[in-house]
Amino acid sequence: MLGGARAGTPGGRGDDWVGHMQNSPTTELSVDEIRLGDLETWIRPDRDGMFAKLRAERPVSFHEEPELEVLPRGPGFWAVTRHADLMRVSRDPETFISGRGTNIGDIPAEIAEFLGSIINMDAPRHTKLRRLVSAGFTPKQVGRLEQSVRDRATAVVDAIAPKGECDFVSEIAATVPLQIICDMMGIPATDETRIFELTNTILGVGDPEYVTSLEELMAAGFELFQYGLDLAEDRRRTPRDDIITTITEAEVDGERLTPHELGSFFVLLVVAGNETTRTAISHGMLQFTEHPDQRAAWLADFEGVSPTAVEEIARWATPVIHFRRTATRDTEVGGQSIKAGEKVVMFYNSANRDESVFDDPFRFDVTRAPNDHVAFGGGGPHFCLGANLARREIRVMFEELFRRLPDIEVTGEPAMLQSNFIHGIKRMPVQFTPA
């Protein structure tokens, strides 16, 4: 897709190179041949075409679960692919609960204690626990982080500017979100690299580069879980102005959080706080390389276009591909009967390309409005806690990149994460005029 060289441009592509804009993605598969539970589906080039066919012909469809070494095979799931149906499921937490798991597969109990946390809880306990940390992610609190985000972004560009080339994911996109969430948690800079490695393993299920066994996944989960417990114990002795101190001292129904709750809470915040934003920034850079007209449109009025540009980056990237719910009663979604106890999986990537909601959904448009995407969730009690922080980080990172390295561009094929959960990019080379 990318490659070659253009005279006068560092590592540029040929003059006749054009972006891959798919206005009408297709697939040769029939609707009966589409199997969202197969991991091979997630590396197919016609994946968008498969979802387009499902939205048109079978918007709620049943699929067998993947068979993974790290997870037992379950009974199958209903896939929800249309925007309206996803919103309906997301906003009805009484009918569609999270307490039986939010991943397609049923996580073994020994892993769930590390990785469960509030995303696998329902009201009233979910409501109370979420309230404990939500104060740290309000627009006002995120606004206070503005200078910190900007300083971090400046330092990132300072480090890579003289090189003329680098890996965009590890050296740019991953750095600011990781550093900011570590700052908020009170994690020392010396531990950031290890935190990065552990989060890659935890979210890398399905990709043999990151995890190949249940033991590897458990080891990473336990190490991060224990790190959180150690951090909480330190804050009990020496409180600080950070989120760990807040959740360590907080009480729910007159009781402090248990060690397991503290540890899994920490894992969730650290993993979600860096992985998804780096994914959005990485996909954004790829699109600005493929569509230089959109880069020019943003640069022509950076302040004015920023709000819609950031939302379009989030929609296009859709870092989290799906979350699962479980039906508590016999019900119906999109005309399909669902029985009590059955799994219902919301595919955000498909909802964000729904032709009935988005005009020309496969066009990357930084001025798109309205843009009712579900990249941060479809509403309801589990809407992304860090959405405001993610928006701020995306905006500031691109502002700094475009200001300091205006000709930065992707120069090689991105290495995509093999996952049906995270729409991740593992590595992506970029070049630019050294500054």
Side-chain angles (χ1 to χ4, degrees), residues 136-212:
F137 292 91
T138 64
K140 183 178 180 181
Q141 287 297 106
V142 171
R144 292 177 179 173
L145 289 171
E146 171 80 29
Q147 191 57 50
S148 179
V149 173
R150 195 165 295 279
D151 290 344
R152 292 291 194 178
T154 298
V156 166
V157 178
D158 285 345
I160 60 104
K163 297 181 179 181
E165 61 182 5
C166 70
D167 172 55
F168 188 85
V169 179
S170 63
E171 296 183 69
I172 298 176
T175 307
V176 170
L178 178 65
Q179 291 176 343
I180 293 300
I181 198 66
C182 285
D183 282 349
M184 295 175 72
M185 296 291 220
I187 298 171
T190 52
D191 292 343
E192 288 175 0
T193 298
R194 185 56 182 160
I195 297 295
F196 178 72
E197 294 169 348
L198 293 172
T199 59
N200 279 343
T201 299
I202 290 169
L203 290 179
V205 174
D207 192 318
E209 181 176 338
Y210 293 129
V211 57
T212 59

Side-chain angles (χ1 to χ4, degrees), residues 328-351:
T328 59
R329 60 182 178 84
D330 291 352
T331 185
E332 184 179 288
V333 178
Q336 174 63 54
S337 296
I338 307 289
K339 294 182 179 179
E342 291 187 322
K343 299 178 181 181
V344 178
V345 179
M346 301 173 288
F347 283 93
Y348 303 105
N349 63 312
S350 180

Side-chain angles (χ1 to χ4, degrees), residues 323-388:
F323 267 125
R324 164 195 150 197
R325 301 290 184 262
T326 303
T328 59
R329 60 182 178 84
D330 291 352
T331 185
E332 184 179 288
V333 178
Q336 174 63 54
S337 296
I338 307 289
K339 294 182 179 179
E342 291 187 322
K343 299 178 181 181
V344 178
V345 179
M346 301 173 288
F347 283 93
Y348 303 105
N349 63 312
S350 180
N352 277 343
R353 301 293 190 271
D354 192 329
E355 299 83 354
S356 69
V357 175
F358 303 98
D359 179 37
D360 196 2
F362 291 90
R363 172 173 52 88
F364 180 71
D365 179 5
V366 295
T367 63
R368 183 182 294 276
N371 191 349
D372 299 320
H373 68 80
V374 292
F376 297 122
H382 290 276
F383 186 80
C384 177
L385 192 64
N388 291 316

Side-chain angles (χ1 to χ4, degrees), residues 55 78 95 203 262 296 316 341 394 398 431:
R55 287 193 300 274
W78 292 100
T95 302
L203 290 179
L262 272 169
W316 191 270
I394 293 168
F398 278 108
Q431 291 187 4

Side-chain angles (χ1 to χ4, degrees), residues 2-41:
L2 298 170
R6 185 175 65 226
T9 303
R13 297 151 313 281
D15 286 324
D16 59 347
W17 186 89
V18 293
H20 293 252
M21 181 162 56
Q22 275 189 299
N23 290 326
S24 301
T26 60
T27 180
E28 295 181 354
L29 297 179
S30 70
V31 70
D32 290 323
E33 293 173 319
I34 297 173
R35 297 180 174 87
L36 298 184
D38 291 352
L39 291 182
E40 291 78 10
T41 294

Side-chain angles (χ1 to χ4, degrees), residues 49-269:
M50 284 189 271
F51 277 103
K53 179 162 284 191
L54 287 174
R55 287 193 300 274
E57 299 181 21
R58 194 175 294 169
V60 181
S61 56
F62 191 80
H63 300 266
E64 293 184 355
E65 294 185 36
E67 188 167 2
L68 302 172
E69 289 189 26
V70 296
L71 293 176
R73 189 167 194 165
F77 62 93
W78 292 100
V80 176
T81 59
R82 286 181 180 170
H83 190 281
D85 294 334
L86 185 148
M87 296 284 278
R88 182 264 165 116
V89 171
S90 187
R91 298 183 180 193
D92 185 359
E94 293 185 359
T95 302
F96 303 99
I97 62 172
S98 302
R100 297 183 192 174
T102 52
N103 298 103
I104 292 177
D106 295 307
I107 298 178
E110 61 268 29
I111 298 179
E113 70 174 308
F114 306 142
L115 309 181
S117 193
I118 62 171
I119 61 171
N120 291 338
M121 291 182 185
D122 300 301
R125 189 153 186 83
H126 169 267
T127 306
K128 294 173 181 177
L129 289 177
R130 183 182 171 99
R131 193 179 300 134
L132 295 180
V133 294
S134 61
F137 292 91
T138 64
K140 183 178 180 181
Q141 287 297 106
V142 171
R144 292 177 179 173
L145 289 171
E146 171 80 29
Q147 191 57 50
S148 179
V149 173
R150 195 165 295 279
D151 290 344
R152 292 291 194 178
T154 298
V156 166
V157 178
D158 285 345
I160 60 104
K163 297 181 179 181
E165 61 182 5
C166 70
D167 172 55
F168 188 85
V169 179
S170 63
E171 296 183 69
I172 298 176
T175 307
V176 170
L178 178 65
Q179 291 176 343
I180 293 300
I181 198 66
C182 285
D183 282 349
M184 295 175 72
M185 296 291 220
I187 298 171
T190 52
D191 292 343
E192 288 175 0
T193 298
R194 185 56 182 160
I195 297 295
F196 178 72
E197 294 169 348
L198 293 172
T199 59
N200 279 343
T201 299
I202 290 169
L203 290 179
V205 174
D207 192 318
E209 181 176 338
Y210 293 129
V211 57
T212 59
S213 68
L214 178 62
E215 289 73 24
E216 288 179 6
L217 180 61
M218 286 184 62
F222 178 77
E223 184 175 339
L224 204 55
F225 179 87
Q226 188 60 49
Y227 188 102
L229 291 185
D230 293 343
L231 210 58
E233 183 59 34
D234 177 76
R235 295 306 186 269
R236 287 192 181 96
R237 296 191 299 266
T238 312
R240 291 170 54 179
D241 184 18
D242 58 28
I243 290 177
I244 290 297
T245 300
T246 298
I247 63 176
T248 299
E249 296 181 342
E251 294 185 354
V252 179
D253 296 333
E255 298 179 358
R256 296 280 176 96
L257 298 186
T258 67
H260 279 169
E261 288 171 336
L262 272 169
S264 62
F265 220 149
F266 172 81
V267 173
L268 171 67
L269 291 173

